Structure formats: structure tokens, C-alpha cells
């Protein structure tokens, strides 16, 4: 079973609307949790990073939350733009060996 | 800095041929990673280097895969012989330090899309 599960696998939203992506993980303990944005044909780019003691982090219109008790994180996109169309990948860093556990990503398509 | 540079961007080869993927990390970064990405499995770590030394190659699928880092500014991932199931996007990433509480970020290249026919 994958250590990081993301949902929904894909979604389509109208430009200007908000959306929330979910990440559930079983990795424990962990050092940090990152959300990456991957545009088509490009490598992933880090959006946010949170340690286990943080519960929210913002980067412009992107806001990530973390609940270490329930092992859940979410990425909220506010007022979506066409450029938000991408795959969003949740990545958890294992404490100790610093290995990364990747989710398979949420594919977001923003339509005008 | 131009970021992590990978070449070629696309590679199409016949089954059985040797394939060499190249990566130039960000200057000053002491860690270099090779990842493979497929729709079914997402991103998978193949191998990583620290100061040009391979540290963990447990993700390398089989002996057909090999990676080298002869100096701090260059690394190769070689597949010999290639098979259709090797078709994927291969990413190189580099970082200053290894991900942890310090939050060192990984910078990914744009990837090499490999198609083996």
C-alpha cells in the first residue's frame, strides 16, 4: 500500500473557483511534508513545506494545512487561474533516513 | 543559475539499444537524485549521490540500470539493454543538503521522456 494517498485523482474546476486537494499519509514519524506543483512536461516545483509542528503554510493563492494527529494534509487553491492546471504532488520526508514518500498526484484542470 | 539541466528532453530508441541520460545539477548542490515517473507508479527514487558518491541505489530496478557521477557537475543514467517497460519520464534533481527538518528543497530538471519501442 502506498504510504501517501492523494484524492481526488483528478478534477476539473472553473476559472475563479476554489478547490481543495487531499493527502493522507501513513508515514510516521516524519520530518516535513511538501506540496509540489508539476506543470505538463516540466519537473515538480516546491510550493509549500511544513514540519510536523506546523499546521498551515501559504504561498500566494496556495494554502497548505497539516493535521499530524490524523495524518492528513490539504492544499487549497483560491481563485483558480488557468495557469493552476497541473499535477499537485504530496511528498512526505521520513524522519531519520530522510527518504521521500511520494503521492501519485492530483491532476487539476482549470477551464475558462 | 540555469537550474538542473537534463538532456536529451526526448529519446526514442529500439528495444535492446543502450540509452544514456545526462544531468547537470545546480552548482554548489551536494546531493543529486535520479527519479523515474510513470502514470501507474508516480515518482520513484532510483539512486542518489552525495558529493559524487552513490549512497543509495536500492531503487535501481535491475542490473540493466547504472548511474555515475564522475564530478560535481555531471551525472549519467544508463540503461543497457533498454526494454519497452523502461518507457517513462526520468528526472534528475539536486539539493543542498538532504531533506529534513531544515527543509532543504529539491530542484528538479525538466526530465527526459524515454520511449522504448
Amino acid at each position: 500500500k502506498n504510504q501517501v494517498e492523494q484524492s481526488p485523482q483528478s478534477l476539473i474546476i472553473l476559472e475563479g473557483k476554489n478547490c481543495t486537494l487531499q493527502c493522507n499519509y501513513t508515514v510516521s514519524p516524519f520530518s516535513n511534508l511538501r506540496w509540489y506543483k508539476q506543470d505538463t512536461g516540466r519537473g515538480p516545483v516546491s510550493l509549500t513545506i511544513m514540519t510536523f509542528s506546523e499546521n498551515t503554510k501559504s504561498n500566494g493563492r496556495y494554502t497548505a494545512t497539516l493535521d499530524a494527529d490524523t495524518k492528513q494534509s490539504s492544499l487549497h487553491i483560491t481563485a483558480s487561474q488557468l495557469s493552476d492546471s497541473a499535477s499537485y504532488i504530496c511528498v512526505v520526508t521520513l524522519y531519520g533516513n530522510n527518504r521521500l514518500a511520494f503521492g501519485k498526484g492530483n491532476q487539476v484542470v482549470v477551464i475558462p | 543559475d540555469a537550474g538542473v539541466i537534463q538532456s536529451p528532453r526526448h529519446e526514442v530508441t529500439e528495444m535492446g539499444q543502450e540509452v544514456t541520460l545526462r544531468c547537470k545539477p545546480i552548482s554548489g548542490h551536494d546531493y543529486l537524485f535520479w527519479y523515474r515517473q510513470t502514470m501507474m507508479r508516480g515518482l520513484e527514487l532510483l539512486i542518489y549521490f552525495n558529493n559524487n558518491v552513490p549512497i543509495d541505489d536500492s531503487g535501481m530496478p535491475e542490473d540493466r540500470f547504472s548511474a555515475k557521477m564522475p564530478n560535481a557537475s555531471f551525472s549519467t543514467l544508463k540503461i543497457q539493454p533498454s526494454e519497452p517497460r523502461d518507457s517513462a519520464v526520468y528526472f534528475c534533481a539536486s539539493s543542498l543538503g538532504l531533506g529534513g527538518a531544515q527543509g532543504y528543497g529539491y530542484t528538479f530538471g525538466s526530465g527526459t521522456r524515454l520511449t522504448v519501442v
Side-chain angles (χ1 to χ4, degrees), chain A residues 56-92:
Chain A
T56 188
K57 185 67 69 77
S58 291
N59 178 359
R61 294 179 298 100
Y62 300 100
T63 299
T65 64
L66 174 64
D67 186 334
D69 291 331
T70 61
K71 295 186 173 59
Q72 294 179 327
S73 177
S74 66
L75 181 69
H76 186 75
I77 304 175
T78 303
S80 60
Q81 300 177 359
L82 298 179
S83 59
D84 293 330
S85 296
S87 178
Y88 293 84
I89 303 172
C90 177
V91 184
V92 181

Side-chain angles (χ1 to χ4, degrees), chain B residues 40-74:
Chain B
M40 288 295 295
R41 302 172 70 92
L43 277 162
E44 301 173 284
L45 176 65
L46 299 177
I47 184 172
Y48 77 90
F49 296 82
N50 176 219
N51 292 324
N52 314 338
V53 177
I55 301 301
D56 184 351
D57 65 353
S58 59
M60 297 286 260
E62 47 199 274
D63 292 345
R64 297 184 298 105
F65 286 69
S66 63
K68 295 182 179 180
M69 192 165 185
N71 57 63
S73 59
F74 184 67

Side-chain angles (χ1 to χ4, degrees), chain A residues 8 11 17 21 23 25 32 38 42 53-54 59 62 64-65 80 85 88 105:
Chain A
L11 77 160
K17 297 297 186 182
L21 313 176
C23 172
Y25 58 92
N32 59 63
Q38 185 176 17
R42 310 294 295 178
S53 61
E54 296 177 294
N59 178 359
Y62 300 100
T65 64
S80 60
S85 296
Y88 293 84

Side-chain angles (χ1 to χ4, degrees), chain A residues 32 34 38 41 43 98-99 104, chain B residues 9 37 40 56 99-100 104:
Chain A
N32 59 63
R34 286 189 179 90
Q38 185 176 17
N98 288 321
R99 292 292 297 266
K104 293 185 180 179
Chain B
R9 286 298 309 273
Q37 186 177 42
M40 288 295 295
D56 184 351
Y104 295 116

